[in-house]
Amino acid sequence: MFISQCAEADIVTRTTLARHSLGERVLHVINALAVAVLITTGLALDDLLTERLGMLLGGHLRVNAIHQWLGLAFVIAWVLLLLSGRISRLLRDVMYFRRDELRRLLAFLCFYLRPSHHPVPFHDGRFDPAQRMIFIAIIATTVLAGISGAYLYLMPPFGRVLLVYAIRIHIIAVWLLLACLCIHIAAGIGLLRTHRGIATAMFGNGRVTITLARTLWPGWTRRQKGGNSDISVNQRRTKP
């Protein structure tokens, strides 16, 4: 039994790559749950959920209290994480861009539509260009929603003149955030053919198959493999 478990663990190690640590996965789950509750309560406060569902959530007063207190705690938590420097690597990886990123996006679209005729486009970022663009949009809309929400909660007496603008910014930012999250979730659950199996990176053991990693993050995969020749000749030809 012990030998078979060791052999199985060895196979997993040789055929997969560690993508996210346990701490990163736990933080992602907590963040996802908080955002889900905030969006649900926000929709309820805007009367976009049925009255029955609103009552199941505890009624208007309780939903409003949950939305306000959780929203404020969410903003404070992320400010503390930012000040502590614990998400500096994430921000650095997300903001990692090169001048020909658009060309890579178009090349990946060609590969996705006709994989037998187009090679996987090379890039050396930890996240692929499309992924980084979605992350930037998520971060930007979250910041706008958080700042406007905190302003509405802590609104000073002299700030009532900006109330209407704060409400509009909050609503628009949340709807844009929701659209970006839908794209993020679609890719995360493997709805796209090229992303099947990626869910284990955040909601599994934190690992992804080498085949998937080579498709989405070829440069990162090569670094994880110690610089071995694990990138195909076609991928190298597309390297800028």
Side-chain angles (χ1 to χ4, degrees):
M1 177 68 71
F2 177 74
I3 295 177
S4 64
Q5 289 178 343
C6 289
E8 183 178 349
D10 181 62
I11 292 174
V12 171
T13 301
R14 286 187 288 107
T15 59
T16 62
L17 290 174
R19 183 67 181 168
H20 296 293
S21 67
L22 177 60
E24 290 172 333
R25 302 198 304 274
V26 170
L27 180 61
H28 184 268
V29 170
I30 294 175
N31 183 73
L33 290 175
V35 171
V37 173
L38 286 171
I39 290 176
T40 302
T41 52
L43 292 174
L45 290 175
D46 206 22
D47 295 327
L48 294 176
L49 299 181
T50 63
E51 184 178 351
R52 180 180 178 84
L53 184 55
M55 294 304 297
L56 289 175
L57 293 174
H60 183 83
L61 292 178
R62 178 171 294 181
V63 168
N64 186 55
I66 293 174
H67 189 78
Q68 289 184 348
W69 283 103
L70 181 59
L72 188 61
F74 182 83
V75 171
I76 293 174
W78 277 104
V79 169
L80 292 177
L81 282 173
L82 184 62
L83 293 177
S84 69
R86 294 185 179 182
I87 59 173
S88 58
R89 190 188 74 158
L90 172 64
L91 294 177
R92 184 174 62 251
D93 291 337
V94 168
M95 299 302 175
Y96 177 86
F97 273 96
R98 292 295 181 266
R99 288 183 298 177
D100 58 348
E101 296 291 86
L102 181 59
R103 183 180 64 81
R104 289 172 180 161
L105 287 173
L106 296 176
F108 190 85
L109 178 61
C110 293
F111 162 74
Y112 183 83
L113 296 175
R114 304 186 69 184
S116 61
H117 293 76
H118 300 277
V120 178
F122 184 92
H123 71 88
D124 57 359
R126 184 167 179 249
F127 302 113
D128 65 78
Q131 194 176 19
R132 294 198 295 273
M133 289 181 180
I134 291 298
F135 283 169
I136 289 174
I138 289 176
I139 292 172
T141 52
T142 300
V143 169
L144 286 175
I147 292 177
S148 57
Y151 179 85
L152 291 173
Y153 180 78
L154 303 171
M155 183 178 59
F158 58 83
R160 296 185 183 278
V161 66
L162 300 177
L163 177 62
V164 175
Y165 297 103
I167 293 175
R168 288 178 180 175
I169 291 173
H170 191 71
I171 293 175
I172 292 173
V174 170
W175 280 111
L176 291 175
L177 172 62
L178 193 55
C180 294
L181 288 176
C182 287
I183 298 174
H184 178 58
I185 293 172
I189 63 177
L191 191 61
L192 300 176
R193 170 177 49 79
T194 50
H195 291 64
R196 288 171 187 166
I198 198 175
T200 58
M202 271 303 181
F203 297 100
N205 58 4
R207 305 180 72 89
V208 294
T209 64
I210 293 178
T211 301
L212 175 64
R214 284 173 176 167
T215 300
L216 298 179
W217 319 290
W220 175 83
T221 303
R222 184 171 62 184
R223 293 196 299 274
Q224 301 306 303
K225 296 289 287 182
N228 295 332
S229 56
D230 56 1
I231 305 299
S232 68
V233 174
N234 283 335
Q235 287 174 318
R236 285 177 178 157
R237 286 175 181 170
T238 60
K239 182 177 178 180

